[in-house]
């Protein structure tokens, strides 16, 4: 049987077991990815599901992130998303694969055209109610346009999550809706740096107070992170440097 995107803690636990122990068969490479990203089928007993496998050896060097750390940051982003209750990042594990260690993430089938319903480039005249402008730009032919995103609560929640993980690369294309309309975010390899590096298109709520639900998430995370022996702290210690774990706590 195939695995669907999980919606409960029990389903997440089952998916993580499959991701951690299943055998990966590589199908092909996503050519538009900046680092090596391989699509594959993962099989364990009678369960077969599609995944994205990003081997460490396929990571290109970056001037501002330590070499060979992006896969671990993908996994750290999932852990913080899950423990914090955002449930934005699909289940992700750090494990051995056909090309060595890397991150393995559950594939999510996106609704066609979903990204444009979340983030888009439009003219001022085309900017509809319920959309928040982020910045103005020009097309190659000189047409004035606006980069904007929908004023949706789940997107606002994603913006809070991005601030927590210090997401250095939140593009509109990294956000999709699945067939049931659930929001998912991808590509968190350049996150969790100790220095401020937040780069995001989700900038439309600047100056607004955090909703109560987000404050509750942050308070719970703060409690976990303030205890060095908590499951969250110990898990992050295996994925990030001590300075980076400390910086997560400061951002929270």
């Amino acid at each position: 049987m195939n695995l669907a995107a999980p919606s409960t803690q029990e389903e997440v636990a089952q998916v993580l077991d499959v991701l951690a122990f299943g055998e990966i068969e590589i199908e092909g490479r996503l050519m538009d990815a900046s680092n090596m990203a391989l699509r594959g089928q993962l099989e364990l007993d009678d369960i077969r599901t599609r995944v994205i496998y990003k081997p460490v050896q396929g990571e290109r060097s970056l001037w501002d992130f330590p070499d060979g750390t992006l896969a671990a940051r993908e996994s750290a982003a999932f852990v913080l998303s899950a423990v914090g209750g955002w449930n934005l990042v699909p289940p992700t594990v750090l494990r051995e694969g056909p090309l060595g260690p890397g991150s393995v993430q559950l594939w999510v089938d996106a609704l066609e055209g979903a990204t444009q319903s979340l983030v888009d480039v439009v003219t001022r005249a085309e900017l509809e109610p319920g959309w928040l402008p982020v910045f103005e730009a020009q097309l190659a032919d000189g047409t004035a346009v606006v980069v904007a995103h929908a004023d949706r609560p789940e997107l606002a929640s994603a913006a809070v999550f991005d601030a927590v993980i210090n997401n250095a690369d939140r593009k509109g294309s990294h956000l999709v809706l699945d067939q049931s309309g659930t929001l998912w975010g991808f590509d968190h390899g350049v996150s969790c740096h100790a220095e401020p590096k937040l780069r995001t298109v989700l900038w439309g709520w600047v100056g607004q107070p955090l909703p109560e639900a987000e404050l509750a998430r942050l308070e719970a995370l703060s409690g976990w992170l303030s205890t060095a022996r908590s499951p969250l702290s110990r898990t992050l210690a295996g994925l990030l440097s001590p300075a980076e774990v400390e910086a997560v706590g400061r951002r929270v």
Side-chain angles (χ1 to χ4, degrees):
M1 68 175 182
N2 292 319
L3 285 178
S7 58
T8 67
Q9 290 184 345
E10 292 76 11
E11 291 174 350
V12 170
Q14 180 192 26
V15 171
L16 290 175
D17 280 343
V18 175
L19 294 181
F21 301 110
E23 184 175 350
I24 301 172
E25 177 185 345
I26 296 175
E27 294 179 322
R29 180 175 180 177
L30 304 184
M31 298 307 297
D32 59 347
S34 55
N35 295 285
M36 183 182 290
L38 303 171
R39 192 179 75 174
Q41 288 284 346
L42 186 147
E43 188 170 358
L44 183 67
D45 299 327
D46 63 336
I47 297 176
R48 186 173 177 86
T49 193
R50 183 162 283 164
V51 296
I52 290 293
Y53 165 49
K54 297 181 179 180
V56 171
Q57 68 169 274
E59 297 177 5
R60 63 185 178 91
S61 295
L62 300 173
W63 71 268
D64 55 347
F65 279 80
D67 289 347
T69 65
L70 305 192
R73 297 174 194 279
E74 293 267 13
S75 187
F78 162 70
V79 171
L80 288 164
S81 168
V83 175
W86 284 285
N87 300 319
L88 178 71
V89 183
T92 309
V93 300
L94 187 66
R95 56 161 286 184
E96 284 290 331
L99 297 180
S103 64
V104 177
Q105 186 175 84
L106 182 70
W107 176 280
V108 174
D109 287 319
L111 192 65
E112 186 174 355
T115 296
Q116 285 69 36
S117 69
L118 301 169
V119 181
D120 207 352
V121 179
V122 297
T123 65
R124 273 286 179 183
E126 295 171 330
L127 188 63
E128 299 179 354
W131 281 71
L132 301 174
V134 180
F135 60 87
E136 296 181 344
Q138 277 190 344
L139 300 181
D141 63 1
T143 302
V145 294
V146 178
V147 177
H149 59 71
D151 186 8
R152 298 172 57 142
E154 66 268 43
L155 273 184
S157 187
V160 178
F161 171 72
D162 282 345
V164 167
I165 69 167
N166 197 16
N167 192 348
D169 192 29
R170 174 60 78 206
K171 298 183 177 74
S173 59
H174 296 169
L175 295 161
V176 302
L177 299 173
D178 67 14
Q179 303 299 316
S180 66
T182 300
L183 177 69
W184 296 98
F186 304 91
D187 289 335
H188 300 100
V190 285
S191 64
C192 295
H193 201 290
E195 300 172 5
K197 292 188 179 292
L198 182 63
R199 295 192 289 266
T200 174
V201 72
L202 299 180
W203 215 247
W205 299 279
V206 168
Q208 296 187 23
L210 288 173
E212 288 297 325
E214 300 304 322
L215 293 174
R217 287 190 175 109
L218 296 174
E219 184 176 1
L221 267 184
S222 181
W224 287 109
L225 291 167
S226 64
T227 305
R229 299 300 297 170
S230 71
L232 175 59
S233 294
R234 286 184 291 170
T235 300
L236 291 180
L239 300 169
L240 305 172
S241 72
E244 288 165 345
V245 176
E246 181 183 355
V248 172
R250 288 199 306 270
R251 291 192 297 272
V252 168

